[in-house]
Amino acid sequence: MAMPILKCPFLSQLTFQQVRASAPHILSTGVESCPIFSNFTRKISTSNIHNASNLSSTNVSSSMSRPLSLNEIKAVHEKMLEQKNHQYLSSKVKPTISNVNTLMNTKIPTPYGEIIISAECEDLLCPFLKATPIAFRRVNIDQDTIEVNRKLNTDKIARPITLPKIDNANPFEYDAFFDAKIEAKRLDNSYRIFKRVQRKSGCFPQAEEKKHLHDDLESRTITVWCSNDYLGLGQHPKLRKAVIDAVTAHGSGSGGTRNISGTSPLHEKLEEQLARLHQKESALLFTSCYVANDTALFTLAKSLPQCHILSDSGNHASMIQGIRNSQVPKHVFRHNDVNHLEELLKKIPRHIPKIVAFETVHSMDGSICDLETMLDVAHEYGSITFIDEVHAVGLYGHNGAGVGERDHVLHKMDIISGTLGKAFGSIGGYIAGSAKMTDFVRSYGSGFIFTTSMPPTVLASALAAIEISMSDEGRALRRKQQENVRELRSKLVDAGLPVIMSPSHIIPIHVGNAALATLLCNHLLDRYSIYIQSINYPTVQRGTERLRIAATPYHTSEMIDQLVDALTHVWKDVGLALKSVAQPQQQQPIALRHHA
Ligand code: PLP
């Protein structure tokens, strides 16, 4: 088929790979801003550009028969901008006196967002390209490399969004408020578009990506590399049978809160089994570990007289929420830094109740804390310890009780929180500890008391999962998972990818830019049927965006090779550089969430 030539003087300076790699992002951020590129992308298909080497020589049909000059393109852009502003004024804002005043002081959103471009990119003056958060550098023909400007300051790209003013004479403009907040997310690339994945029983770790909700057009099999069903137990025949038996015997829901007809023998059996797993007197179930962390920390901190909380700077949002809500004094120590924890503890009088809260396996950097030292230091200063083992339960220790069991320090852990939703393949959360402590949270914790209890299907499946975890089968699954993690990690490192080295099963790969991280994942899915989710703000801090990979016992060596191969290709295609293989991998700075 005869294909037209792309006439854009700016885009034609880029390599084919740059444009191909960035096309989805360019499209999503502003194809309507650029008449030339939108025309080009409408006509071009992946197969058509597959063998092209450079856009300037690509054969692409265009309704524009001659290249536009720089001034002509600028004029088109300015006109579009004017139209957009006009549309914005006429469609979004009702002409009241108050909002006319507001508009006088408002920077109207441009189709481009706030434009920040580095000096290195000054020669690409296209107003359209400037609008994308990807800053291109010209290709260096002599060296076979394309570099993306890594100095990009994503904070600056997010232009301040003007929220509707409160005006006593008129009702608040709710839609304008929601619009502005969503727009802010889109502009800083933190707006989330979920991938629609249908898990297929018996096919783990493969699943089906459903492009369309109501039909199977374009559905296809994909390999999932980012599931927290770490051992694939979610599809284990024993769990499936347990769920079917439970629904047959007891029906669907639990029928009430734990207090009002919602406590069954299954609840009590599961609590008993969890207590046994963690070698504690007692355990208490919650509908998720988010609720468990939030409720337990809030309830304890709020109730203990003059309580202070010491919180790891990398703590999960669920802990942060409970701590914040309690409004007690909090002291944030550097991630897994025992010395800093001790420094802070020293400043608080010994008689004051203190809760030291942290995770064993960090969910996003994969680090594992020096658990025994942390516990010893906390106890030395009279604290009670609250340890989130969410990413460790099922995976570490002889029975899968977590890092505490692996390190033989379960007896030193005062309160353990865990999830039934990850390695245990279901949903729900719990805390385990002394009988008095769990009874206290049971009696005072709003997030425990005032919510419907977990249904029989979930309880039965969790019981089956823990039984497997404590058996030889569980130990074999953990061994195989660790083998696969080691194989994958070393192959990724050998390929020159910037793996953030960690001692756990979590393999993060540093990207450092939200748009690029999303782009990499889109390419992996679209071109290689591989699903990895990019991890962007607010899960991690801006500038520390990453891919987070989780190998399971069911990923094969062949799948590992396919992943490494695909990842290195897309990595280069989006213009990122691979490390030279001889160069030793540096530990990336640990990137943490906002702390409490
Ligand atoms: N704690 C950590 C460290 C987590 O990563 C998560 C996340 O999913 C939770 C707690 C919440 O667990 P759940 O998914 O059971 O609510």
Side-chain angles (χ1 to χ4, degrees):
M1 180 177 92
M3 302 234 335
I5 295 176
L6 176 70
K7 305 289 184 184
C8 173
F10 304 111
L11 281 173
S12 58
Q13 294 176 48
L14 303 175
T15 61
F16 157 69
Q17 281 105 322
Q18 280 178 310
V19 173
R20 188 182 65 174
S22 309
H25 188 71
I26 291 173
L27 276 169
S28 68
T29 52
V31 71
E32 59 180 51
S33 316
C34 176
I36 297 152
F37 192 70
S38 82
N39 189 38
F40 171 69
T41 46
R42 230 179 290 126
K43 295 190 175 178
I44 204 161
S45 75
T46 315
S47 57
N48 285 335
I49 59 171
H50 209 69
N51 298 317
S53 60
N54 192 308
L55 271 174
S56 50
S57 59
T58 304
N59 240 353
V60 185
S61 81
S62 166
S63 56
M64 290 167 212
S65 54
R66 71 174 173 80
L68 295 182
S69 73
L70 179 62
N71 285 339
E72 281 171 316
I73 290 171
K74 278 188 177 159
V76 175
H77 278 272
E78 270 155 28
K79 192 140 195 219
M80 290 179 73
L81 181 57
E82 256 173 47
Q83 277 170 3
K84 276 240 151 192
N85 290 346
H86 180 72
Q87 277 167 13
Y88 183 83
L89 283 169
S90 49
S91 70
K92 299 230 165 191
V93 184
K94 289 184 219 115
T96 62
I97 292 173
S98 70
N99 58 29
V100 165
N101 286 340
T102 309
L103 284 168
M104 300 297 281
N105 303 317
T106 301
K107 261 177 115 185
I108 307 297
T110 75
Y112 315 128
E114 191 77 353
I115 295 167
I116 305 288
I117 199 152
S118 83
E120 282 156 332
C121 306
E122 288 295 345
D123 54 350
L124 292 177
L125 287 171
C126 171
F128 165 64
L129 273 183
K130 279 182 174 182
T132 74
I134 296 174
F136 292 104
R137 233 189 249 176
R138 272 189 190 190
V139 67
N140 184 337
I141 310 278
D142 301 332
Q143 301 159 12
D144 192 19
T145 55
I146 315 153
E147 284 183 49
V148 169
N149 175 16
R150 305 295 300 280
K151 281 184 261 158
L152 191 67
N153 185 342
T154 40
D155 281 339
K156 285 189 185 160
I157 284 172
R159 69 187 301 285
I161 295 282
T162 306
L163 298 171
K165 276 214 171 119
I166 306 269
D167 162 14
N168 292 342
N170 289 295
F172 185 76
E173 290 180 43
Y174 298 97
D175 277 352
F177 172 82
F178 298 140
D179 246 16
K181 295 295 279 183
I182 300 271
E183 191 56 19
K185 286 234 156 254
R186 286 191 206 280
L187 285 173
D188 74 1
N189 291 298
S190 66
Y191 184 73
R192 292 175 170 187
I193 298 169
F194 299 145
K195 307 251 186 295
R196 191 179 295 112
V197 178
Q198 183 87 69
R199 290 176 15 120
K200 294 224 157 212
S201 205
C203 299
F204 188 83
Q206 292 191 310
E208 198 182 351
E209 189 212 5
K210 275 183 79 78
K211 286 256 188 242
H212 305 281
L213 183 57
H214 296 296
D215 63 48
D216 285 337
L217 287 174
E218 293 182 60
S219 292
R220 68 219 167 94
T221 301
I222 57 169
T223 306
V224 179
W225 280 99
C226 55
S227 174
N228 283 340
D229 186 358
Y230 290 127
L231 298 178
L233 286 190
Q235 305 192 4
H236 192 287
K238 283 188 181 159
L239 271 72
R240 278 152 49 184
K241 182 172 181 316
V243 168
I244 292 166
D245 289 351
V247 79
T248 308
H250 310 296
S252 163
S254 75
T257 63
R258 285 293 291 270
N259 190 42
I260 306 176
S261 101
T263 294
S264 71
L266 282 174
H267 289 91
E268 293 186 8
K269 277 187 194 162
L270 182 54
E271 285 174 340
E272 236 178 56
Q273 200 183 33
L274 286 165
R276 198 173 325 125
L277 175 70
H278 290 289
Q279 299 173 27
K280 295 289 165 202
E281 287 174 355
S282 174
L284 194 66
L285 283 169
F286 293 81
T287 45
S288 74
C289 192
Y290 186 103
V291 179
N293 283 347
D294 180 14
T295 304
L297 280 169
F298 170 82
T299 310
L300 288 160
K302 196 87 188 154
S303 313
L304 288 165
Q306 302 173 49
C307 181
H308 283 227
I309 289 207
L310 294 104
S311 173
D312 186 291
S313 63
N315 273 348
H316 187 255
S318 51
M319 285 194 267
I320 293 171
Q321 184 74 0
I323 295 168
R324 267 206 196 122
N325 283 348
S326 74
Q327 295 181 332
V328 304
K330 63 173 186 276
H331 311 261
V332 178
F333 57 93
R334 287 187 292 275
H335 181 49
N336 287 347
D337 187 334
V338 187
N339 294 332
H340 192 211
L341 168 64
E342 183 162 23
E343 215 177 281
L344 297 174
L345 280 168
K346 276 183 185 161
K347 293 181 186 158
I348 310 167
R350 206 178 159 70
H351 69 279
I352 297 264
K354 298 172 256 322
I355 303 171
V356 176
F358 55 95
E359 296 167 29
T360 51
V361 176
H362 191 270
S363 61
M364 290 300 146
D365 66 27
S367 58
I368 299 183
C369 68
D370 178 355
L371 180 56
E372 185 161 25
T373 315
M374 300 271 276
L375 296 169
D376 286 346
V377 165
H379 289 145
E380 197 181 322
Y381 292 87
S383 320
I384 195 170
T385 51
F386 184 101
I387 304 103
D388 175 313
E389 287 253 51
V390 159
H391 292 274
V393 291
L395 303 177
Y396 298 90
H398 187 69
N399 294 303
V403 175
E405 186 187 28
R406 186 198 70 173
D407 293 358
H408 308 287
V409 293
L410 282 173
H411 60 290
K412 294 188 179 184
M413 299 163 83
D414 301 305
I415 305 166
I416 297 168
S417 74
T419 185
L420 303 170
K422 301 190 194 294
F424 291 145
S426 182
I427 189 169
Y430 60 91
I431 55 169
S434 72
K436 287 189 170 59
M437 183 279 297
T438 52
D439 198 18
F440 167 77
V441 178
R442 186 183 74 86
S443 308
Y444 288 91
S446 177
F448 173 82
I449 298 170
F450 298 104
T451 188
T452 302
S453 68
M454 293 218 287
T457 44
V458 168
L459 302 166
S461 118
L463 276 160
I466 295 164
E467 202 172 289
I468 293 170
S469 179
M470 296 171 86
S471 72
D472 286 343
E473 184 184 359
R475 289 182 264 284
L477 284 170
R478 285 192 279 280
R479 249 191 323 275
K480 183 67 184 143
Q481 185 218 22
Q482 290 294 341
E483 270 171 39
N484 287 351
V485 169
R486 272 194 297 277
E487 179 180 343
L488 174 59
R489 185 181 279 123
S490 80
K491 285 181 173 170
L492 290 167
V493 169
D494 289 349
L497 288 151
V499 174
I500 300 174
M501 299 308 274
S502 84
S504 74
H505 60 285
I506 294 167
I507 306 180
I509 301 184
H510 177 80
V511 180
N513 177 289
L516 282 177
T518 305
L519 194 56
L520 284 165
C521 295
N522 290 345
H523 281 310
L524 282 173
L525 193 58
D526 293 345
R527 287 160 53 192
Y528 297 97
S529 300
I530 284 174
Y531 178 33
I532 298 177
Q533 185 57 50
S534 63
I535 309 289
N536 293 346
Y537 178 84
T539 309
V540 294
Q541 282 184 3
R542 291 185 216 277
T544 71
E545 293 83 358
R546 65 201 57 192
L547 310 184
R548 177 190 182 274
I549 308 179
T552 73
Y554 296 98
H555 286 99
T556 61
S557 277
E558 198 190 353
M559 288 174 182
I560 290 175
D561 291 340
Q562 282 165 356
L563 169 64
V564 176
D565 190 50
L567 198 47
T568 44
H569 273 100
V570 296
W571 201 263
K572 285 189 271 189
D573 284 350
V574 303
L576 288 166
L578 294 169
K579 293 185 181 188
S580 103
V581 177
Q583 202 179 310
Q585 293 272 318
Q586 296 279 313
Q587 172 111 25
Q588 300 287 337
I590 286 170
L592 300 171
R593 289 177 284 254
H594 291 299
H595 49 64

